[in-house]
């Protein structure tokens, strides 16, 4: 299991991005969370097998139909604690 943090920028709030990412993450069998950031970006913490993490990162670059993704930053977190099963939406930070 690996843990990665994704930071997605562009037109990603108000377009269903968080719910679509949550659905895709669950489909890929990932654990973690997604939330809006006050700066207009979306942040996600995802845990799972490397191939599934690559899949969610590729999806994040496209996003849902109304999104206009400009950049996706990915950071590997070496010492992250284990997340509970499932994938959830968190409050804006």
């Amino acid at each position: 299991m690996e843990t990665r943090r994704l930071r997605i920028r562009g037109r990603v709030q108000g377009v269903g991005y968080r719910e679509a990412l949550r659905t895709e993450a669950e489909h890929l069998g990932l654990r973690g969370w997604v939330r809006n950031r006050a700066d207009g970006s979306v942040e996600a913490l995802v845990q799972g097998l490397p191939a599934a993490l690559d899949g969610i990162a590729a999806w994040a670059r496209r996003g849902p139909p109304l999104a206009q993704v400009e950049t996706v930053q990915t950071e590997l977190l070496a010492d992250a604690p284990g997340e509970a099963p499932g994938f959830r939406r968190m409050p804006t930070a």
Side-chain angles (χ1 to χ4, degrees):
M1 282 268 230
E2 286 185 4
T3 303
R4 298 181 193 173
R5 177 176 292 137
L6 305 178
R7 192 70 172 266
I8 304 105
R9 290 184 168 81
R11 186 169 165 237
V12 294
Q13 290 190 12
V15 295
Y17 197 98
R18 288 176 300 159
E19 186 60 25
L21 188 140
R22 187 192 63 76
T23 299
E24 185 66 17
E26 286 183 341
H27 174 75
L28 292 169
L30 297 171
R31 296 177 175 198
W33 51 261
V34 61
R35 65 184 175 188
N36 283 339
R37 299 288 302 189
D39 66 2
S41 67
V42 169
E43 178 183 28
L45 183 104
V46 292
Q47 288 184 333
L49 298 174
L53 294 171
D54 291 344
I56 197 69
W59 181 92
R61 289 181 188 90
R62 295 185 309 273
L66 295 177
Q68 295 176 351
V69 178
E70 294 174 4
T71 62
V72 177
Q73 294 174 301
T74 304
E75 176 186 3
L76 179 63
L77 302 177
D79 295 329
E83 286 290 314
F87 206 90
R88 61 197 185 284
R89 287 173 51 173
M90 300 285 284
T92 299

